[in-house]
Amino acid sequence: MSSTSLDIEEGLAFLPKFDADGLVTAVVTDAGNGDVLMVAHMNEEALAKTVATGEAWYYSRSRQKLWKKGESSGHVQRLVEMRVDCDQDAVWLKVEQQGAGACHTGRRSCFYRAVPLGQIGDIRLEFRDGDKAFDPNAVYGKRG
Amino acid sequence: MSSTSLDIEEGLAFLPKFDADGLVTAVVTDAGNGDVLMVAHMNEEALAKTVATGEAWYYSRSRQKLWKKGESSGHVQRLVEMRVDCDQDAVWLKVEQQGAGACHTGRRSCFYRAVPLGQIGDIRLEFRDGDKAFDPNAVYGKRG
């Protein structure tokens, strides 16, 4: 029996709506200061493991595999709260980010560049909070 | 000439990476309190209009059309800052939400239900900030 919009939007059943690739979008914010740390994706298994353990698991589209955040770096994300959106195709994870940062480039957040507004045509980005919090080569090993 | 990972991650050129459907993910937070208001998608035109005007435009996957947030409801989103993530397939919009709310269900945020942690199997959601900030029938008209 398929669920109605009313079930999905106003009900209490968790009915995640996976896309054609079997994924939902996960937005991750720092429970301390509200900054968006990263955007990632979860398949059904990643979502179930995250809910069960209270630590963030994702599905890597590029590597096509399940991964636990922090499995290489130690930079685990402990969930303070998890929410789902109206149509249940996105989740919001408020986390305590362990270790120096969430981004594989070495920054605390993946969003370390601003897009200046009021412009048309070629846009030049501006670094914001762009200092590296850790050395990615030391944490992940050299990558090609 | 294709861009390298170094160009994309460490450069100042805005090189949005649209997916197979021509979309990037947009995470929208309340510039006042940091809450995630919604997750939406932008095609090239929506992104360009948002950057040029400083107000949020999106692409609706269900309606397959460009839309300006607030065009029906008046609940426009004025950008305080826009950022792009490391691999440039997601943008973060910090906005001043005009009007009562961002969610078509009548709430301020689309994320008005929590997913309880530490559970396995059928999950029951819990309302959080679930009170309606406006009457969606009055704002949008009745929808089937």
Side-chain angles (χ1 to χ4, degrees):
Chain A
M1 198 174 67
S2 71
S3 302
T4 66
S5 288
L6 197 65
D7 294 333
I8 293 165
E9 295 181 353
E10 299 294 337
L12 293 178
F14 187 35
L15 301 166
K17 187 170 135 196
F18 297 100
D19 69 11
D21 296 318
L23 303 174
V24 292
T25 302
V27 177
V28 186
T29 64
D30 184 319
N33 65 12
D35 279 355
V36 178
L37 295 174
M38 55 188 276
V39 172
H41 296 84
M42 291 180 173
N43 64 358
E44 189 168 7
E45 188 178 0
L47 190 55
K49 280 181 179 283
T50 300
V51 172
T53 66
E55 296 188 332
W57 287 75
Y58 302 107
Y59 182 82
S60 167
R61 294 179 300 177
S62 55
R63 290 180 287 146
Q64 299 198 314
K65 67 185 283 262
L66 189 77
W67 60 290
K68 182 183 174 187
K69 178 67 187 167
E71 69 189 353
S72 305
S73 64
H75 300 171
V76 169
Q77 292 173 336
R78 295 214 181 107
L79 273 70
V80 172
E81 190 179 31
M82 183 170 176
R83 294 199 187 187
V84 65
D85 76 344
C86 46
D87 59 0
Q88 302 208 26
D89 66 355
V91 291
W92 169 18
L93 282 59
K94 292 187 208 181
V95 307
E96 287 174 354
Q97 174 67 58
Q98 309 296 305
C103 184
H104 77 285
T105 67
R107 279 88 174 190
R108 180 155 182 82
S109 160
C110 294
F111 293 86
Y112 49 83
R113 286 169 300 182
V115 184
L117 301 172
Q119 299 195 25
I120 295 172
D122 284 350
I123 309 288
R124 302 293 291 175
L125 303 174
E126 296 171 1
F127 275 92
R128 292 267 203 289
D129 310 316
D131 291 348
K132 298 199 178 190
F134 63 94
D135 175 359
N137 290 334
V139 168
Y140 298 108
K142 289 260 182 198
R143 299 200 292 192
Chain B
M1 199 173 70
S2 71
S3 302
T4 66
S5 288
L6 197 64
D7 295 333
I8 294 164
E9 295 181 353
E10 300 294 336
L12 293 178
F14 187 35
L15 302 165
K17 188 171 134 196
F18 298 100
D19 69 10
D21 297 318
L23 302 173
V24 292
T25 303
V27 177
V28 186
T29 64
D30 184 320
N33 65 12
D35 279 356
V36 178
L37 294 173
M38 55 186 278
V39 172
H41 296 84
M42 292 181 173
N43 64 358
E44 191 168 6
E45 189 179 359
L47 190 55
K49 280 181 179 283
T50 301
V51 172
T53 66
E55 295 189 333
W57 288 75
Y58 302 107
Y59 182 84
S60 167
R61 294 180 298 177
S62 56
R63 290 179 288 145
Q64 299 198 315
K65 67 182 282 263
L66 189 76
W67 60 290
K68 182 183 174 186
K69 178 67 188 169
E71 68 189 355
S72 305
S73 63
H75 300 170
V76 170
Q77 293 174 336
R78 295 216 180 106
L79 273 71
V80 173
E81 190 178 31
M82 181 170 178
R83 294 200 186 187
V84 64
D85 76 343
C86 45
D87 59 0
Q88 302 207 28
D89 65 355
V91 291
W92 168 18
L93 282 57
K94 293 187 208 179
V95 307
E96 286 174 355
Q97 175 67 57
Q98 309 297 304
C103 184
H104 77 284
T105 67
R107 280 87 175 191
R108 180 153 182 83
S109 161
C110 295
F111 292 87
Y112 48 83
R113 288 170 297 182
V115 184
L117 302 172
Q119 299 195 23
I120 293 172
D122 284 349
I123 309 287
R124 302 293 290 175
L125 303 174
E126 296 171 1
F127 275 93
R128 293 266 200 291
D129 310 316
D131 290 347
K132 297 200 179 190
F134 63 95
D135 175 358
N137 290 335
V139 167
Y140 299 107
K142 290 258 182 201
R143 298 200 292 193

mmCIF file of all heavy atoms in Angstrom, chain A residues 94-137:
data_model
loop_
_atom_site.group_PDB
_atom_site.id
_atom_site.type_symbol
_atom_site.label_atom_id
_atom_site.label_comp_id
_atom_site.label_asym_id
_atom_site.label_seq_id
_atom_site.Cartn_x
_atom_site.Cartn_y
_atom_site.Cartn_z
ATOM 1 N N LYS A 94 22.512 17.087 13.245
ATOM 2 C CA LYS A 94 23.251 18.029 14.096
ATOM 3 C C LYS A 94 24.288 17.190 14.826
ATOM 4 O O LYS A 94 23.927 16.271 15.572
ATOM 5 C CB LYS A 94 22.330 18.660 15.136
ATOM 6 C CG LYS A 94 21.294 19.585 14.571
ATOM 7 C CD LYS A 94 20.554 20.299 15.719
ATOM 8 C CE LYS A 94 19.157 20.664 15.308
ATOM 9 N NZ LYS A 94 18.385 21.362 16.328
ATOM 10 N N VAL A 95 25.560 17.504 14.618
ATOM 11 C CA VAL A 95 26.610 16.623 15.140
ATOM 12 C C VAL A 95 27.625 17.357 16.005
ATOM 13 O O VAL A 95 27.821 18.569 15.874
ATOM 14 C CB VAL A 95 27.374 15.906 13.997
ATOM 15 C CG1 VAL A 95 26.406 15.199 13.057
ATOM 16 C CG2 VAL A 95 28.280 16.869 13.231
ATOM 17 N N GLU A 96 28.263 16.571 16.862
ATOM 18 C CA GLU A 96 29.510 17.009 17.485
ATOM 19 C C GLU A 96 30.619 16.419 16.626
ATOM 20 O O GLU A 96 30.805 15.201 16.578
ATOM 21 C CB GLU A 96 29.613 16.464 18.909
ATOM 22 C CG GLU A 96 28.686 17.160 19.867
ATOM 23 C CD GLU A 96 28.691 16.523 21.250
ATOM 24 O OE1 GLU A 96 29.340 15.467 21.436
ATOM 25 O OE2 GLU A 96 28.023 17.066 22.129
ATOM 26 N N GLN A 97 31.330 17.303 15.928
ATOM 27 C CA GLN A 97 32.408 16.846 15.049
ATOM 28 C C GLN A 97 33.644 16.543 15.901
ATOM 29 O O GLN A 97 34.221 17.439 16.494
ATOM 30 C CB GLN A 97 32.709 17.939 14.008
ATOM 31 C CG GLN A 97 33.895 17.665 13.117
ATOM 32 C CD GLN A 97 33.651 16.487 12.192
ATOM 33 O OE1 GLN A 97 32.709 16.483 11.420
ATOM 34 N NE2 GLN A 97 34.507 15.463 12.277
ATOM 35 N N GLN A 98 34.053 15.296 15.928
ATOM 36 C CA GLN A 98 35.272 14.922 16.651
ATOM 37 C C GLN A 98 36.472 15.259 15.776
ATOM 38 O O GLN A 98 36.389 15.196 14.544
ATOM 39 C CB GLN A 98 35.275 13.429 16.965
ATOM 40 C CG GLN A 98 34.009 12.930 17.647
ATOM 41 C CD GLN A 98 33.788 13.538 19.011
ATOM 42 O OE1 GLN A 98 34.646 13.462 19.873
ATOM 43 N NE2 GLN A 98 32.644 14.178 19.203
ATOM 44 N N GLY A 99 37.588 15.598 16.398
ATOM 45 C CA GLY A 99 38.798 15.893 15.627
ATOM 46 C C GLY A 99 38.714 17.256 14.999
ATOM 47 O O GLY A 99 37.812 18.049 15.273
ATOM 48 N N ALA A 100 39.656 17.529 14.110
ATOM 49 C CA ALA A 100 39.867 18.892 13.634
ATOM 50 C C ALA A 100 38.846 19.336 12.591
ATOM 51 O O ALA A 100 38.579 20.522 12.452
ATOM 52 C CB ALA A 100 41.270 19.023 13.067
ATOM 53 N N GLY A 101 38.291 18.404 11.830
ATOM 54 C CA GLY A 101 37.418 18.899 10.775
ATOM 55 C C GLY A 101 36.661 17.821 10.039
ATOM 56 O O GLY A 101 36.925 16.627 10.183
ATOM 57 N N ALA A 102 35.708 18.273 9.221
ATOM 58 C CA ALA A 102 34.839 17.373 8.460
ATOM 59 C C ALA A 102 35.308 17.208 7.017
ATOM 60 O O ALA A 102 34.946 16.236 6.361
ATOM 61 C CB ALA A 102 33.415 17.907 8.459
ATOM 62 N N CYS A 103 36.077 18.165 6.502
ATOM 63 C CA CYS A 103 36.351 18.182 5.060
ATOM 64 C C CYS A 103 37.665 17.472 4.726
ATOM 65 O O CYS A 103 38.671 17.678 5.405
ATOM 66 C CB CYS A 103 36.390 19.626 4.554
ATOM 67 S SG CYS A 103 36.619 19.731 2.761
ATOM 68 N N HIS A 104 37.643 16.703 3.648
ATOM 69 C CA HIS A 104 38.830 15.947 3.246
ATOM 70 C C HIS A 104 39.976 16.865 2.813
ATOM 71 O O HIS A 104 41.110 16.423 2.706
ATOM 72 C CB HIS A 104 38.496 14.967 2.122
ATOM 73 C CG HIS A 104 38.360 15.621 0.786
ATOM 74 N ND1 HIS A 104 37.255 16.367 0.431
ATOM 75 C CD2 HIS A 104 39.193 15.676 -0.276
ATOM 76 C CE1 HIS A 104 37.422 16.844 -0.787
ATOM 77 N NE2 HIS A 104 38.584 16.442 -1.244
ATOM 78 N N THR A 105 39.669 18.172 2.571
ATOM 79 C CA THR A 105 40.735 19.111 2.200
ATOM 80 C C THR A 105 41.486 19.647 3.420
ATOM 81 O O THR A 105 42.455 20.391 3.264
ATOM 82 C CB THR A 105 40.165 20.326 1.427
ATOM 83 O OG1 THR A 105 39.346 21.106 2.317
ATOM 84 C CG2 THR A 105 39.362 19.896 0.214
ATOM 85 N N GLY A 106 40.986 19.332 4.615
ATOM 86 C CA GLY A 106 41.656 19.782 5.828
ATOM 87 C C GLY A 106 40.927 20.885 6.574
ATOM 88 O O GLY A 106 41.361 21.282 7.647
ATOM 89 N N ARG A 107 39.824 21.379 5.992
ATOM 90 C CA ARG A 107 39.065 22.428 6.692
ATOM 91 C C ARG A 107 38.030 21.808 7.627
ATOM 92 O O ARG A 107 37.606 20.677 7.451
ATOM 93 C CB ARG A 107 38.332 23.328 5.694
ATOM 94 C CG ARG A 107 39.208 24.397 5.068
ATOM 95 C CD ARG A 107 39.886 23.893 3.833
ATOM 96 N NE ARG A 107 40.634 24.928 3.128
ATOM 97 C CZ ARG A 107 41.145 24.754 1.916
ATOM 98 N NH1 ARG A 107 41.015 23.598 1.273
ATOM 99 N NH2 ARG A 107 41.820 25.735 1.342
ATOM 100 N N ARG A 108 37.590 22.643 8.578
ATOM 101 C CA ARG A 108 36.541 22.192 9.494
ATOM 102 C C ARG A 108 35.251 21.915 8.720
ATOM 103 O O ARG A 108 34.600 20.899 8.933
ATOM 104 C CB ARG A 108 36.300 23.246 10.575
ATOM 105 C CG ARG A 108 35.244 22.844 11.550
ATOM 106 C CD ARG A 108 35.364 23.498 12.906
ATOM 107 N NE ARG A 108 34.320 23.001 13.798
ATOM 108 C CZ ARG A 108 34.377 21.863 14.476
ATOM 109 N NH1 ARG A 108 35.443 21.090 14.403
ATOM 110 N NH2 ARG A 108 33.366 21.484 15.240
ATOM 111 N N SER A 109 34.880 22.820 7.809
ATOM 112 C CA SER A 109 33.678 22.672 6.984
ATOM 113 C C SER A 109 34.084 22.561 5.521
ATOM 114 O O SER A 109 35.104 23.123 5.102
ATOM 115 C CB SER A 109 32.774 23.898 7.170
ATOM 116 O OG SER A 109 31.851 24.024 6.093
ATOM 117 N N CYS A 110 33.251 21.877 4.731
ATOM 118 C CA CYS A 110 33.483 21.822 3.274
ATOM 119 C C CYS A 110 33.152 23.154 2.600
ATOM 120 O O CYS A 110 33.529 23.370 1.447
ATOM 121 C CB CYS A 110 32.607 20.737 2.647
ATOM 122 S SG CYS A 110 33.036 19.065 3.169
ATOM 123 N N PHE A 111 32.459 24.042 3.310
ATOM 124 C CA PHE A 111 31.987 25.297 2.693
ATOM 125 C C PHE A 111 32.916 26.441 3.086
ATOM 126 O O PHE A 111 32.559 27.293 3.896
ATOM 127 C CB PHE A 111 30.537 25.563 3.113
ATOM 128 C CG PHE A 111 29.553 24.564 2.553
ATOM 129 C CD1 PHE A 111 29.309 23.368 3.204
ATOM 130 C CD2 PHE A 111 28.894 24.815 1.355
ATOM 131 C CE1 PHE A 111 28.412 22.433 2.682
ATOM 132 C CE2 PHE A 111 27.995 23.889 0.826
ATOM 133 C CZ PHE A 111 27.758 22.697 1.488
ATOM 134 N N TYR A 112 34.115 26.450 2.512
ATOM 135 C CA TYR A 112 35.162 27.406 2.896
ATOM 136 C C TYR A 112 35.366 28.489 1.842
ATOM 137 O O TYR A 112 36.328 29.245 1.916
ATOM 138 C CB TYR A 112 36.482 26.668 3.177
ATOM 139 C CG TYR A 112 36.889 25.683 2.104
ATOM 140 C CD1 TYR A 112 37.570 26.107 0.965
ATOM 141 C CD2 TYR A 112 36.563 24.335 2.212
ATOM 142 C CE1 TYR A 112 37.910 25.217 -0.034
ATOM 143 C CE2 TYR A 112 36.897 23.429 1.227
ATOM 144 C CZ TYR A 112 37.576 23.871 0.107
ATOM 145 O OH TYR A 112 37.902 22.980 -0.888
ATOM 146 N N ARG A 113 34.436 28.590 0.875
ATOM 147 C CA ARG A 113 34.521 29.656 -0.124
ATOM 148 C C ARG A 113 33.145 30.292 -0.327
ATOM 149 O O ARG A 113 32.143 29.577 -0.461
ATOM 150 C CB ARG A 113 35.050 29.113 -1.453
ATOM 151 C CG ARG A 113 36.548 28.803 -1.423
ATOM 152 C CD ARG A 113 36.989 28.023 -2.645
ATOM 153 N NE ARG A 113 36.288 26.748 -2.736
ATOM 154 C CZ ARG A 113 36.496 25.839 -3.687
ATOM 155 N NH1 ARG A 113 37.377 26.079 -4.653
ATOM 156 N NH2 ARG A 113 35.822 24.713 -3.691
ATOM 157 N N ALA A 114 33.123 31.615 -0.362
ATOM 158 C CA ALA A 114 31.879 32.353 -0.592
ATOM 159 C C ALA A 114 31.720 32.642 -2.076
ATOM 160 O O ALA A 114 32.701 32.831 -2.802
ATOM 161 C CB ALA A 114 31.883 33.651 0.201
ATOM 162 N N VAL A 115 30.459 32.680 -2.508
ATOM 163 C CA VAL A 115 30.104 33.090 -3.865
ATOM 164 C C VAL A 115 29.589 34.528 -3.753
ATOM 165 O O VAL A 115 28.525 34.753 -3.188
ATOM 166 C CB VAL A 115 28.987 32.191 -4.442
ATOM 167 C CG1 VAL A 115 28.685 32.571 -5.886
ATOM 168 C CG2 VAL A 115 29.341 30.714 -4.317
ATOM 169 N N PRO A 116 30.342 35.513 -4.261
ATOM 170 C CA PRO A 116 29.895 36.909 -4.137
ATOM 171 C C PRO A 116 28.576 37.110 -4.880
ATOM 172 O O PRO A 116 28.386 36.565 -5.976
ATOM 173 C CB PRO A 116 31.018 37.712 -4.801
ATOM 174 C CG PRO A 116 32.184 36.787 -4.860
ATOM 175 C CD PRO A 116 31.625 35.411 -4.969
ATOM 176 N N LEU A 117 27.698 37.903 -4.275
ATOM 177 C CA LEU A 117 26.373 38.112 -4.866
ATOM 178 C C LEU A 117 26.344 39.369 -5.718
ATOM 179 O O LEU A 117 27.240 40.192 -5.668
ATOM 180 C CB LEU A 117 25.337 38.183 -3.745
ATOM 181 C CG LEU A 117 25.294 36.925 -2.871
ATOM 182 C CD1 LEU A 117 24.400 37.132 -1.675
ATOM 183 C CD2 LEU A 117 24.833 35.711 -3.689
ATOM 184 N N GLY A 118 25.297 39.495 -6.535
ATOM 185 C CA GLY A 118 25.120 40.685 -7.357
ATOM 186 C C GLY A 118 25.953 40.677 -8.616
ATOM 187 O O GLY A 118 26.168 41.717 -9.234
ATOM 188 N N GLN A 119 26.425 39.494 -9.013
ATOM 189 C CA GLN A 119 27.288 39.410 -10.186
ATOM 190 C C GLN A 119 26.643 38.588 -11.295
ATOM 191 O O GLN A 119 25.822 37.717 -11.053
ATOM 192 C CB GLN A 119 28.628 38.783 -9.814
ATOM 193 C CG GLN A 119 29.375 39.598 -8.776
ATOM 194 C CD GLN A 119 30.834 39.203 -8.665
ATOM 195 O OE1 GLN A 119 31.419 38.684 -9.604
ATOM 196 N NE2 GLN A 119 31.407 39.455 -7.508
ATOM 197 N N ILE A 120 27.088 38.852 -12.507
ATOM 198 C CA ILE A 120 26.647 38.104 -13.687
ATOM 199 C C ILE A 120 27.895 37.679 -14.437
ATOM 200 O O ILE A 120 28.869 38.427 -14.494
ATOM 201 C CB ILE A 120 25.755 38.994 -14.582
ATOM 202 C CG1 ILE A 120 24.453 39.344 -13.849
ATOM 203 C CG2 ILE A 120 25.438 38.312 -15.911
ATOM 204 C CD1 ILE A 120 23.593 40.355 -14.552
ATOM 205 N N GLY A 121 27.864 36.473 -14.993
ATOM 206 C CA GLY A 121 29.006 36.012 -15.782
ATOM 207 C C GLY A 121 29.996 35.249 -14.928
ATOM 208 O O GLY A 121 29.604 34.580 -13.977
ATOM 209 N N ASP A 122 31.281 35.334 -15.267
ATOM 210 C CA ASP A 122 32.300 34.587 -14.533
ATOM 211 C C ASP A 122 32.376 35.080 -13.091
ATOM 212 O O ASP A 122 32.554 36.264 -12.849
ATOM 213 C CB ASP A 122 33.674 34.759 -15.189
ATOM 214 C CG ASP A 122 33.785 33.920 -16.455
ATOM 215 O OD1 ASP A 122 32.891 33.081 -16.689
ATOM 216 O OD2 ASP A 122 34.759 34.114 -17.192
ATOM 217 N N ILE A 123 32.247 34.159 -12.170
ATOM 218 C CA ILE A 123 32.240 34.495 -10.741
ATOM 219 C C ILE A 123 33.572 34.050 -10.129
ATOM 220 O O ILE A 123 34.026 32.931 -10.385
ATOM 221 C CB ILE A 123 31.096 33.744 -10.017
ATOM 222 C CG1 ILE A 123 29.751 33.932 -10.728
ATOM 223 C CG2 ILE A 123 31.047 34.114 -8.550
ATOM 224 C CD1 ILE A 123 29.145 35.277 -10.594
ATOM 225 N N ARG A 124 34.163 34.919 -9.354
ATOM 226 C CA ARG A 124 35.377 34.555 -8.618
ATOM 227 C C ARG A 124 35.003 34.340 -7.157
ATOM 228 O O ARG A 124 34.394 35.204 -6.524
ATOM 229 C CB ARG A 124 36.433 35.678 -8.702
ATOM 230 C CG ARG A 124 36.830 36.043 -10.112
ATOM 231 C CD ARG A 124 37.569 34.937 -10.820
ATOM 232 N NE ARG A 124 38.896 34.701 -10.264
ATOM 233 C CZ ARG A 124 39.707 33.709 -10.659
ATOM 234 N NH1 ARG A 124 39.293 32.837 -11.563
ATOM 235 N NH2 ARG A 124 40.898 33.567 -10.138
ATOM 236 N N LEU A 125 35.368 33.194 -6.631
ATOM 237 C CA LEU A 125 35.061 32.865 -5.242
ATOM 238 C C LEU A 125 35.978 33.623 -4.290
ATOM 239 O O LEU A 125 37.024 34.144 -4.711
ATOM 240 C CB LEU A 125 35.231 31.355 -5.031
ATOM 241 C CG LEU A 125 34.391 30.470 -5.959
ATOM 242 C CD1 LEU A 125 34.755 29.007 -5.764
ATOM 243 C CD2 LEU A 125 32.905 30.688 -5.710
ATOM 244 N N GLU A 126 35.568 33.679 -3.025
ATOM 245 C CA GLU A 126 36.389 34.311 -1.978
ATOM 246 C C GLU A 126 36.519 33.335 -0.821
ATOM 247 O O GLU A 126 35.505 32.822 -0.338
ATOM 248 C CB GLU A 126 35.703 35.597 -1.487
ATOM 249 C CG GLU A 126 35.594 36.666 -2.555
ATOM 250 C CD GLU A 126 34.720 37.848 -2.118
ATOM 251 O OE1 GLU A 126 34.228 37.840 -0.976
ATOM 252 O OE2 GLU A 126 34.541 38.761 -2.950
ATOM 253 N N PHE A 127 37.736 33.085 -0.385
ATOM 254 C CA PHE A 127 37.913 32.171 0.747
ATOM 255 C C PHE A 127 37.317 32.765 2.022
ATOM 256 O O PHE A 127 37.409 33.963 2.263
ATOM 257 C CB PHE A 127 39.404 31.858 0.975
ATOM 258 C CG PHE A 127 39.896 30.738 0.105
ATOM 259 C CD1 PHE A 127 40.468 31.001 -1.133
ATOM 260 C CD2 PHE A 127 39.784 29.413 0.517
ATOM 261 C CE1 PHE A 127 40.912 29.967 -1.942
ATOM 262 C CE2 PHE A 127 40.221 28.378 -0.294
ATOM 263 C CZ PHE A 127 40.793 28.656 -1.529
ATOM 264 N N ARG A 128 36.651 31.894 2.792
ATOM 265 C CA ARG A 128 36.112 32.254 4.116
ATOM 266 C C ARG A 128 36.418 31.071 5.036
ATOM 267 O O ARG A 128 36.045 29.939 4.714
ATOM 268 C CB ARG A 128 34.587 32.402 4.083
ATOM 269 C CG ARG A 128 34.104 33.571 3.290
ATOM 270 C CD ARG A 128 33.888 34.801 4.140
ATOM 271 N NE ARG A 128 32.956 35.704 3.489
ATOM 272 C CZ ARG A 128 33.242 36.413 2.394
ATOM 273 N NH1 ARG A 128 34.429 36.335 1.844
ATOM 274 N NH2 ARG A 128 32.332 37.206 1.856
ATOM 275 N N ASP A 129 37.018 31.343 6.163
ATOM 276 C CA ASP A 129 37.399 30.238 7.067
ATOM 277 C C ASP A 129 38.167 29.180 6.274
ATOM 278 O O ASP A 129 37.943 27.971 6.448
ATOM 279 C CB ASP A 129 36.154 29.596 7.710
ATOM 280 C CG ASP A 129 35.228 30.637 8.331
ATOM 281 O OD1 ASP A 129 35.736 31.546 9.003
ATOM 282 O OD2 ASP A 129 33.997 30.527 8.135
ATOM 283 N N GLY A 130 39.061 29.634 5.400
ATOM 284 C CA GLY A 130 39.752 28.717 4.494
ATOM 285 C C GLY A 130 41.016 28.091 5.070
ATOM 286 O O GLY A 130 41.615 27.219 4.429
ATOM 287 N N ASP A 131 41.403 28.513 6.277
ATOM 288 C CA ASP A 131 42.616 27.936 6.867
ATOM 289 C C ASP A 131 42.411 26.451 7.147
ATOM 290 O O ASP A 131 41.338 26.037 7.597
ATOM 291 C CB ASP A 131 42.969 28.650 8.176
ATOM 292 C CG ASP A 131 43.443 30.086 7.937
ATOM 293 O OD1 ASP A 131 43.720 30.431 6.762
ATOM 294 O OD2 ASP A 131 43.504 30.849 8.913
ATOM 295 N N LYS A 132 43.451 25.682 6.893
ATOM 296 C CA LYS A 132 43.324 24.237 7.137
ATOM 297 C C LYS A 132 43.459 23.941 8.627
ATOM 298 O O LYS A 132 44.345 24.463 9.303
ATOM 299 C CB LYS A 132 44.366 23.481 6.318
ATOM 300 C CG LYS A 132 44.142 23.696 4.823
ATOM 301 C CD LYS A 132 44.805 22.659 3.950
ATOM 302 C CE LYS A 132 44.458 22.963 2.493
ATOM 303 N NZ LYS A 132 44.847 21.891 1.567
ATOM 304 N N ALA A 133 42.533 23.122 9.110
ATOM 305 C CA ALA A 133 42.519 22.748 10.526
ATOM 306 C C ALA A 133 43.396 21.530 10.769
ATOM 307 O O ALA A 133 43.784 21.239 11.886
ATOM 308 C CB ALA A 133 41.081 22.459 10.964
ATOM 309 N N PHE A 134 43.661 20.783 9.683
ATOM 310 C CA PHE A 134 44.561 19.629 9.798
ATOM 311 C C PHE A 134 45.208 19.409 8.437
ATOM 312 O O PHE A 134 44.777 19.986 7.431
ATOM 313 C CB PHE A 134 43.824 18.375 10.284
ATOM 314 C CG PHE A 134 42.734 17.874 9.358
ATOM 315 C CD1 PHE A 134 42.992 16.882 8.411
ATOM 316 C CD2 PHE A 134 41.434 18.374 9.435
ATOM 317 C CE1 PHE A 134 41.990 16.421 7.570
ATOM 318 C CE2 PHE A 134 40.419 17.915 8.594
ATOM 319 C CZ PHE A 134 40.704 16.931 7.662
ATOM 320 N N ASP A 135 46.269 18.596 8.432
ATOM 321 C CA ASP A 135 46.991 18.307 7.195
ATOM 322 C C ASP A 135 46.406 17.039 6.580
ATOM 323 O O ASP A 135 46.592 15.947 7.129
ATOM 324 C CB ASP A 135 48.478 18.114 7.524
ATOM 325 C CG ASP A 135 49.290 17.683 6.309
ATOM 326 O OD1 ASP A 135 48.702 17.505 5.216
ATOM 327 O OD2 ASP A 135 50.507 17.513 6.459
ATOM 328 N N PRO A 136 45.682 17.166 5.465
ATOM 329 C CA PRO A 136 45.020 15.976 4.915
ATOM 330 C C PRO A 136 46.004 14.888 4.487
ATOM 331 O O PRO A 136 45.679 13.698 4.576
ATOM 332 C CB PRO A 136 44.231 16.521 3.725
ATOM 333 C CG PRO A 136 44.791 17.868 3.418
ATOM 334 C CD PRO A 136 45.394 18.385 4.693
ATOM 335 N N ASN A 137 47.196 15.279 4.060
ATOM 336 C CA ASN A 137 48.183 14.256 3.671
ATOM 337 C C ASN A 137 48.601 13.409 4.867
ATOM 338 O O ASN A 137 48.788 12.206 4.759
ATOM 339 C CB ASN A 137 49.422 14.908 3.047
ATOM 340 C CG ASN A 137 49.121 15.497 1.678
ATOM 341 O OD1 ASN A 137 48.199 15.044 0.990
ATOM 342 N ND2 ASN A 137 49.859 16.515 1.296
#
